[in-house]
Amino acid sequence: MKRHIYSGLVMLGITVSALAQQPAARGGGRGAQAARPAPLFFKETWKDSTANVPMTQAFVLNPDLQLNMYGAGKEDFNVTNEGNVPHIWTGLCASSCALTLSHHDSLVDLTGKAKIRWFTKTSGFHEIRPVLKLADGTWLIGDHVDANTFDYHESEFYLSEVRWLKLDMPKVQTKGTLLDKVDLSKVEAVGFADLTPGSGHGTGGYSDVGWIEVYGKPVKRDGAAQPNAGAAK
């Protein structure tokens, strides 16, 4: 009788141990929420242009988005469809330059699995980097770069894996050292920067951005806060 009781207790212990080692069921807890893919916040593909012309708000197809551009010249960014791909071209940027898009109604939470996907190409030693403007006015530029000189290339990256420097705007100049922590839960504007001056027409040096997708959770905007359109040209 004692042997049967002992055997039963051993089997019970094995069962409890096995259950304890099983992973938690999917769909519950903070871990499951953090693992969920972020929804598409916006996509912009640019209005087609048969000529190479200065970029303006009129070439933004998404009616919910506000364009802002920063750089030394009045016509730093152009839009064209060379190669049958409508895209932004930085060849006339006289200095480092940046382009951002803000949603009229919402900020965006870029924590967790928030990401950017874009379709890009470069020439020379030019590199395309992500740029963010936080709701408190802080500007950031990331250490992620895309520099595809052979042809257009579709790529994506998680914002949580990017390291950030502060950005002096509207000069588009980096400041200080890499930040240990950044709060991306309320982001006002998302875009890209080219920190190398363009070389003009030809193949000397430029960046092309064919389209951009931003994945993150919308955050209701304070009724008093609106995107700043002052830098759009």
Side-chain angles (χ1 to χ4, degrees):
M1 183 67 178
K2 290 183 179 180
R3 179 177 296 178
H4 289 302
I5 294 174
Y6 175 76
S7 299
L9 290 174
V10 170
M11 292 302 297
L12 178 61
I14 294 174
T15 302
V16 170
S17 176
L19 289 174
Q21 294 179 26
Q22 288 182 0
R26 295 181 179 181
R30 290 184 178 180
Q33 292 179 0
R36 293 174 184 168
L40 178 64
F41 181 62
F42 73 70
K43 179 174 184 175
E44 180 53 49
T45 59
W46 323 117
K47 182 180 179 181
D48 200 354
S49 173
T50 56
N52 191 325
V53 297
M55 178 63 182
T56 67
Q57 181 69 40
F59 288 97
V60 177
L61 288 176
N62 189 328
D64 295 325
L65 301 180
Q66 171 66 50
L67 170 72
N68 282 280
M69 297 178 287
Y70 306 88
K74 293 183 179 180
E75 297 180 355
D76 284 333
F77 291 93
N78 283 42
V79 60
T80 179
N81 71 350
E82 184 179 358
N84 296 318
V85 178
H87 62 270
I88 305 300
W89 177 69
T90 69
L92 296 183
C93 281
S95 66
S96 53
C97 52
L99 182 152
T100 65
L101 296 165
S102 298
H103 195 283
H104 290 300
D105 299 324
S106 302
L107 305 174
V108 60
D109 180 349
L110 296 180
T111 60
K113 286 198 171 182
K115 64 183 180 180
I116 290 177
R117 295 178 66 232
W118 54 24
F119 194 52
T120 63
K121 178 168 70 73
T122 62
S123 176
F125 293 133
H126 283 245
E127 298 173 331
I128 301 170
R129 296 174 179 269
V131 168
L132 305 178
K133 181 184 180 183
L134 306 185
D136 65 4
T138 302
W139 284 92
L140 302 172
I141 186 166
D143 67 348
H144 174 90
V145 298
D146 278 296
N148 314 296
T149 58
F150 182 72
D151 201 354
Y152 283 99
H153 181 74
E154 180 181 325
S155 58
E156 68 176 50
F157 54 94
Y158 291 108
L159 281 305
S160 60
E161 295 181 331
V162 177
R163 298 195 68 188
W164 303 93
L165 280 175
K166 287 189 176 182
L167 197 59
D168 185 0
M169 298 296 271
K171 297 178 182 180
V172 198
Q173 293 179 349
T174 58
K175 297 174 60 178
T177 58
L178 288 167
L179 302 173
D180 292 330
K181 294 181 180 180
V182 293
D183 182 0
L184 303 183
S185 61
K186 292 183 178 180
V187 177
E188 162 70 35
V190 183
F192 63 89
D194 184 341
L195 296 180
T196 304
S199 64
H201 294 281
T203 59
Y206 57 80
S207 293
D208 293 334
V209 177
W211 49 257
I212 179 172
E213 295 177 349
V214 175
Y215 291 79
K217 294 175 288 186
V219 177
K220 188 175 181 180
R221 183 186 292 279
D222 183 349
Q226 294 296 328
N228 177 17
K233 300 165 185 155

